[in-house]
Amino acid sequence: MQNIPSVDLRDFLSDDPKRKQKFVNEIGSAFENIGFVALKGHFLDDQLVDELYSEIRKFFALPVETKHNYEIPGIGGQRGYVSFGKEHAKGRKEGDLKEFWHFGQYVDASSKYAAEYPENVNVTELPRFNVVGKEAYQMLEKTGVYVLRALALHLGLDEFYFDQYAKDGNSILRPIHYPPITSEPENAIRAAAHGDINLITLLMGAQGKGLQVQNHDGEWIDAIAEDDQLVINVGDMLSRHTNNKLKSTIHQVVNPPRELWGTSRYSIPFFMHPVSDMKLDCLENCIDAENPKKFEDITAGDYLYERLVDLGLIKK
């Protein structure tokens, strides 16, 4: 397979049981084999996408001192600004060539998770930044809920199995700026090879070359989406929960050819996390004689903490 499969969420949303099952089969097969799909028919409209890109470009163009005002100490980068080179892939010491922002979950004060999540950070210089960020967050989350419903059916679970864990989940919307490369990077690339921590990732901004996915043969293939598509992949939590039936695939963002070094790249992943007390124990119907249980029992919250330490975002 030299490219990632394409699916259309409108098939799943239709009233036609055959179209709905077609989507379940297609995304289930893709996630068992390559772990990535390009998805159209999501809930982000063109106007929202355009405005979100406009706002994040404006934010990253602010003076460095201004951006640093939004870097909040002591929360492991969970909200607000994370400066250039802070994050590195597990097992690497070189910081990735990127800076980013985090929007987090919007919960009611009455939610039992309200005390768990840091407040979102408001950018006073850009009055639309937080409004547009919240709207994009909620449309990506809504898209993710339907993808998880399809996957629940594929796994032989109740269609709404994941809803209880996705509601108020610790999901993160991360606008990333990969600045122009000004000199030969020493070992660092825009984002070193890694797997995602969460259940699924919904990525905006995979329209140009750069994102690469490793297939089962260890070959890197380009993951390039059409303008109206999101790229969606399985994260390690979902892979673990399904005893590796659904594959969390290693991927990377490589540096562009030298003639494009002077250009910025923007990409916006939505990391869909469950609530912290979700048990990631391997599902019984994903364990059999040929596929014995591969992972220890752990909650999503404990697993996330372990991984943030690995990434250098939390110091033990």
Side-chain angles (χ1 to χ4, degrees):
M1 179 180 297
Q2 284 310 308
N3 53 8
I4 60 172
S6 297
V7 294
D8 190 332
L9 187 60
R10 287 168 295 205
D11 288 337
F12 188 71
L13 299 173
S14 78
D15 295 327
D16 180 346
K18 284 188 180 156
R19 280 182 69 189
K20 186 171 181 178
Q21 189 59 47
K22 171 176 177 276
F23 181 87
V24 170
N25 295 346
E26 286 174 348
I27 200 165
S29 168
F31 281 175
E32 285 192 26
N33 290 301
I34 186 77
F36 271 75
V37 293
L39 175 135
K40 63 168 90 172
H42 49 77
F43 294 103
L44 291 164
D45 63 45
D46 292 346
Q47 184 182 342
L48 177 57
V49 171
D50 290 346
E51 194 172 4
L52 181 61
Y53 274 109
S54 168
E55 289 301 314
I56 68 167
R57 282 193 180 97
K58 282 188 240 175
F59 174 77
F60 289 120
L62 289 171
V64 173
E65 312 75 63
T66 306
K67 289 187 286 191
H68 279 304
N69 292 337
Y70 296 108
E71 196 152 21
I72 312 299
I75 59 167
Q78 289 180 75
R79 301 289 184 275
Y81 179 63
V82 178
S83 55
F84 193 63
K86 273 275 170 74
E87 186 179 69
H88 57 79
K90 183 177 176 178
R92 282 178 73 104
K93 57 182 189 297
E94 295 85 14
D96 289 338
L97 303 178
K98 67 188 181 195
E99 56 179 345
F100 52 92
W101 180 272
H102 276 162
F103 295 102
Q105 185 59 271
Y106 301 86
V107 290
D108 294 332
S110 59
S111 166
K112 72 174 190 175
Y113 301 104
E116 219 177 280
Y117 300 148
E119 291 282 318
N120 275 298
V121 180
N122 279 308
V123 177
T124 52
E125 290 82 358
L126 300 171
R128 291 284 297 160
F129 181 81
N130 291 87
V131 177
V132 174
K134 180 177 182 179
E135 192 179 342
Y137 183 106
Q138 292 176 331
M139 291 300 104
L140 284 159
E141 184 175 50
K142 182 178 179 182
T143 302
V145 164
Y146 283 101
V147 169
L148 288 172
R149 286 177 183 173
L151 293 175
L153 291 172
H154 175 71
L155 293 165
L157 303 169
D158 178 80
E159 179 176 346
F160 304 102
Y161 168 78
F162 287 106
D163 283 34
Q164 60 189 319
Y165 304 120
K167 180 177 167 42
D168 290 350
N170 192 16
S171 301
I172 293 279
L173 178 62
R174 173 191 278 194
I176 305 172
H177 175 220
Y178 301 102
I181 297 169
T182 53
S183 60
E184 188 78 51
E186 193 177 330
N187 293 329
I189 60 175
R190 282 184 159 173
H194 64 283
D196 292 342
I197 301 170
N198 38 293
L199 290 172
I200 55 174
T201 301
L202 298 85
L203 176 69
M204 302 169 61
Q207 276 71 30
K209 268 196 170 188
L211 177 64
Q212 294 185 329
V213 178
Q214 196 171 42
N215 67 16
H216 292 336
D217 300 322
E219 302 164 329
W220 289 103
I221 58 175
D222 291 317
I224 302 174
E226 303 290 330
D227 284 348
D228 61 346
Q229 290 178 326
L230 300 171
V231 169
I232 304 185
N233 64 278
V234 177
D236 292 347
M237 286 185 182
L238 185 59
S239 176
R240 195 178 176 109
H241 195 39
T242 63
N243 201 34
N244 211 30
K245 182 181 173 78
L246 304 182
K247 302 287 188 292
S248 175
T249 304
I250 298 293
H251 50 286
Q252 64 184 7
V253 180
V254 295
N255 297 332
R258 192 176 282 266
E259 62 269 21
L260 294 177
W261 276 13
T263 58
S264 284
R265 177 188 174 97
Y266 297 90
S267 90
I268 311 173
F270 180 77
F271 298 115
M272 192 154 188
H273 282 261
V275 290
S276 58
D277 46 3
M278 178 185 180
K279 290 183 168 67
L280 298 179
D281 309 5
C282 299
L283 290 161
E284 288 296 324
N285 57 353
C286 294
I287 301 170
D288 56 32
E290 286 180 22
N291 299 283
K293 184 177 173 182
K294 297 180 176 71
F295 305 102
E296 294 296 310
D297 295 350
I298 194 169
T299 63
D302 288 343
Y303 183 68
L304 175 62
Y305 178 80
E306 280 182 13
R307 290 293 298 273
L308 291 177
V309 170
D310 287 339
L311 289 174
L313 288 174
I314 287 181
K315 300 284 183 271
K316 256 188 167 168

mmCIF file of all heavy atoms in Angstrom, residues 206-226:
data_model
loop_
_atom_site.group_PDB
_atom_site.id
_atom_site.type_symbol
_atom_site.label_atom_id
_atom_site.label_comp_id
_atom_site.label_asym_id
_atom_site.label_seq_id
_atom_site.Cartn_x
_atom_site.Cartn_y
_atom_site.Cartn_z
ATOM 1 N N ALA A 206 -2.601 18.413 6.429
ATOM 2 C CA ALA A 206 -1.697 17.423 5.824
ATOM 3 C C ALA A 206 -1.749 17.535 4.299
ATOM 4 O O ALA A 206 -1.545 16.570 3.586
ATOM 5 C CB ALA A 206 -2.083 16.017 6.265
ATOM 6 N N GLN A 207 -2.046 18.764 3.817
ATOM 7 C CA GLN A 207 -2.239 18.932 2.379
ATOM 8 C C GLN A 207 -0.923 18.927 1.591
ATOM 9 O O GLN A 207 -0.897 18.552 0.441
ATOM 10 C CB GLN A 207 -3.020 20.219 2.072
ATOM 11 C CG GLN A 207 -4.534 20.056 2.181
ATOM 12 C CD GLN A 207 -5.041 19.899 3.597
ATOM 13 O OE1 GLN A 207 -4.456 20.411 4.532
ATOM 14 N NE2 GLN A 207 -6.122 19.168 3.775
ATOM 15 N N GLY A 208 0.177 19.357 2.224
ATOM 16 C CA GLY A 208 1.457 19.367 1.505
ATOM 17 C C GLY A 208 2.295 18.167 1.906
ATOM 18 O O GLY A 208 1.985 17.464 2.856
ATOM 19 N N LYS A 209 3.351 17.917 1.162
ATOM 20 C CA LYS A 209 4.262 16.828 1.535
ATOM 21 C C LYS A 209 4.928 17.155 2.859
ATOM 22 O O LYS A 209 5.174 18.306 3.174
ATOM 23 C CB LYS A 209 5.325 16.648 0.455
ATOM 24 C CG LYS A 209 4.950 15.628 -0.599
ATOM 25 C CD LYS A 209 6.172 15.205 -1.397
ATOM 26 C CE LYS A 209 5.829 14.004 -2.264
ATOM 27 N NZ LYS A 209 6.991 13.424 -2.924
ATOM 28 N N GLY A 210 5.261 16.149 3.606
ATOM 29 C CA GLY A 210 5.930 16.346 4.892
ATOM 30 C C GLY A 210 5.591 15.225 5.850
ATOM 31 O O GLY A 210 6.461 14.580 6.416
ATOM 32 N N LEU A 211 4.257 14.977 6.027
ATOM 33 C CA LEU A 211 3.839 13.886 6.912
ATOM 34 C C LEU A 211 4.100 12.550 6.226
ATOM 35 O O LEU A 211 3.698 12.332 5.080
ATOM 36 C CB LEU A 211 2.347 14.010 7.249
ATOM 37 C CG LEU A 211 1.757 12.889 8.111
ATOM 38 C CD1 LEU A 211 2.391 12.840 9.498
ATOM 39 C CD2 LEU A 211 0.239 13.031 8.216
ATOM 40 N N GLN A 212 4.782 11.661 6.929
ATOM 41 C CA GLN A 212 5.060 10.322 6.405
ATOM 42 C C GLN A 212 4.651 9.272 7.431
ATOM 43 O O GLN A 212 4.803 9.457 8.633
ATOM 44 C CB GLN A 212 6.558 10.157 6.098
ATOM 45 C CG GLN A 212 7.040 11.054 4.975
ATOM 46 C CD GLN A 212 8.496 10.788 4.622
ATOM 47 O OE1 GLN A 212 9.292 10.408 5.480
ATOM 48 N NE2 GLN A 212 8.844 11.011 3.366
ATOM 49 N N VAL A 213 4.140 8.151 6.915
ATOM 50 C CA VAL A 213 3.631 7.051 7.721
ATOM 51 C C VAL A 213 4.463 5.814 7.406
ATOM 52 O O VAL A 213 4.771 5.553 6.245
ATOM 53 C CB VAL A 213 2.151 6.788 7.349
ATOM 54 C CG1 VAL A 213 1.593 5.622 8.142
ATOM 55 C CG2 VAL A 213 1.309 8.034 7.548
ATOM 56 N N GLN A 214 4.803 5.055 8.438
ATOM 57 C CA GLN A 214 5.597 3.843 8.222
ATOM 58 C C GLN A 214 4.670 2.641 8.048
ATOM 59 O O GLN A 214 3.856 2.347 8.924
ATOM 60 C CB GLN A 214 6.537 3.613 9.408
ATOM 61 C CG GLN A 214 7.644 2.620 9.125
ATOM 62 C CD GLN A 214 8.667 2.583 10.243
ATOM 63 O OE1 GLN A 214 8.311 2.616 11.421
ATOM 64 N NE2 GLN A 214 9.936 2.531 9.902
ATOM 65 N N ASN A 215 4.784 1.952 6.915
ATOM 66 C CA ASN A 215 3.930 0.784 6.706
ATOM 67 C C ASN A 215 4.553 -0.458 7.359
ATOM 68 O O ASN A 215 5.621 -0.392 7.962
ATOM 69 C CB ASN A 215 3.622 0.569 5.212
ATOM 70 C CG ASN A 215 4.849 0.187 4.388
ATOM 71 O OD1 ASN A 215 5.882 -0.209 4.927
ATOM 72 N ND2 ASN A 215 4.724 0.303 3.073
ATOM 73 N N HIS A 216 3.867 -1.600 7.216
ATOM 74 C CA HIS A 216 4.320 -2.820 7.908
ATOM 75 C C HIS A 216 5.691 -3.299 7.442
ATOM 76 O O HIS A 216 6.361 -4.043 8.145
ATOM 77 C CB HIS A 216 3.298 -3.953 7.726
ATOM 78 C CG HIS A 216 2.010 -3.709 8.434
ATOM 79 N ND1 HIS A 216 1.905 -2.869 9.530
ATOM 80 C CD2 HIS A 216 0.748 -4.168 8.209
ATOM 81 C CE1 HIS A 216 0.654 -2.838 9.949
ATOM 82 N NE2 HIS A 216 -0.069 -3.611 9.155
ATOM 83 N N ASP A 217 6.064 -2.902 6.229
ATOM 84 C CA ASP A 217 7.376 -3.307 5.703
ATOM 85 C C ASP A 217 8.483 -2.346 6.108
ATOM 86 O O ASP A 217 9.620 -2.472 5.646
ATOM 87 C CB ASP A 217 7.324 -3.411 4.170
ATOM 88 C CG ASP A 217 6.299 -4.432 3.699
ATOM 89 O OD1 ASP A 217 6.194 -5.485 4.374
ATOM 90 O OD2 ASP A 217 5.602 -4.179 2.709
ATOM 91 N N GLY A 218 8.124 -1.358 6.952
ATOM 92 C CA GLY A 218 9.134 -0.409 7.405
ATOM 93 C C GLY A 218 9.417 0.706 6.415
ATOM 94 O O GLY A 218 10.325 1.510 6.619
ATOM 95 N N GLU A 219 8.619 0.780 5.325
ATOM 96 C CA GLU A 219 8.821 1.841 4.325
ATOM 97 C C GLU A 219 8.040 3.083 4.747
ATOM 98 O O GLU A 219 6.932 2.982 5.295
ATOM 99 C CB GLU A 219 8.302 1.386 2.949
ATOM 100 C CG GLU A 219 8.947 0.131 2.434
ATOM 101 C CD GLU A 219 8.142 -0.496 1.287
ATOM 102 O OE1 GLU A 219 6.900 -0.356 1.260
ATOM 103 O OE2 GLU A 219 8.776 -1.126 0.437
ATOM 104 N N TRP A 220 8.606 4.255 4.468
ATOM 105 C CA TRP A 220 7.916 5.514 4.735
ATOM 106 C C TRP A 220 7.100 5.906 3.514
ATOM 107 O O TRP A 220 7.626 5.987 2.410
ATOM 108 C CB TRP A 220 8.926 6.621 5.055
ATOM 109 C CG TRP A 220 9.583 6.433 6.389
ATOM 110 C CD1 TRP A 220 10.845 5.974 6.634
ATOM 111 C CD2 TRP A 220 9.004 6.689 7.682
ATOM 112 N NE1 TRP A 220 11.093 5.920 7.987
ATOM 113 C CE2 TRP A 220 9.986 6.357 8.653
ATOM 114 C CE3 TRP A 220 7.767 7.160 8.104
ATOM 115 C CZ2 TRP A 220 9.758 6.491 10.019
ATOM 116 C CZ3 TRP A 220 7.536 7.285 9.465
ATOM 117 C CH2 TRP A 220 8.518 6.959 10.408
ATOM 118 N N ILE A 221 5.793 6.146 3.712
ATOM 119 C CA ILE A 221 4.961 6.603 2.598
ATOM 120 C C ILE A 221 4.383 7.967 2.944
ATOM 121 O O ILE A 221 4.107 8.279 4.104
ATOM 122 C CB ILE A 221 3.842 5.592 2.257
ATOM 123 C CG1 ILE A 221 2.927 5.330 3.472
ATOM 124 C CG2 ILE A 221 4.426 4.284 1.751
ATOM 125 C CD1 ILE A 221 1.749 4.436 3.144
ATOM 126 N N ASP A 222 4.226 8.819 1.921
ATOM 127 C CA ASP A 222 3.678 10.159 2.131
ATOM 128 C C ASP A 222 2.187 10.069 2.420
ATOM 129 O O ASP A 222 1.459 9.335 1.746
ATOM 130 C CB ASP A 222 3.903 11.035 0.888
ATOM 131 C CG ASP A 222 5.366 11.371 0.690
ATOM 132 O OD1 ASP A 222 6.039 11.687 1.690
ATOM 133 O OD2 ASP A 222 5.850 11.321 -0.466
ATOM 134 N N ALA A 223 1.740 10.785 3.438
ATOM 135 C CA ALA A 223 0.307 10.888 3.736
ATOM 136 C C ALA A 223 -0.127 12.295 3.338
ATOM 137 O O ALA A 223 0.154 13.256 4.045
ATOM 138 C CB ALA A 223 0.052 10.639 5.212
ATOM 139 N N ILE A 224 -0.767 12.410 2.189
ATOM 140 C CA ILE A 224 -1.169 13.728 1.677
ATOM 141 C C ILE A 224 -2.683 13.734 1.520
ATOM 142 O O ILE A 224 -3.254 12.872 0.853
ATOM 143 C CB ILE A 224 -0.486 14.025 0.322
ATOM 144 C CG1 ILE A 224 1.043 13.965 0.472
ATOM 145 C CG2 ILE A 224 -0.920 15.397 -0.203
ATOM 146 C CD1 ILE A 224 1.800 14.107 -0.829
ATOM 147 N N ALA A 225 -3.331 14.692 2.154
ATOM 148 C CA ALA A 225 -4.789 14.772 2.118
ATOM 149 C C ALA A 225 -5.245 15.771 1.054
ATOM 150 O O ALA A 225 -4.517 16.699 0.700
ATOM 151 C CB ALA A 225 -5.309 15.201 3.487
ATOM 152 N N GLU A 226 -6.482 15.568 0.571
ATOM 153 C CA GLU A 226 -7.137 16.588 -0.270
ATOM 154 C C GLU A 226 -7.534 17.761 0.633
ATOM 155 O O GLU A 226 -7.563 17.634 1.864
ATOM 156 C CB GLU A 226 -8.394 16.000 -0.917
ATOM 157 C CG GLU A 226 -8.165 14.759 -1.751
ATOM 158 C CD GLU A 226 -7.415 15.045 -3.041
ATOM 159 O OE1 GLU A 226 -7.565 16.164 -3.577
ATOM 160 O OE2 GLU A 226 -6.667 14.167 -3.508
#
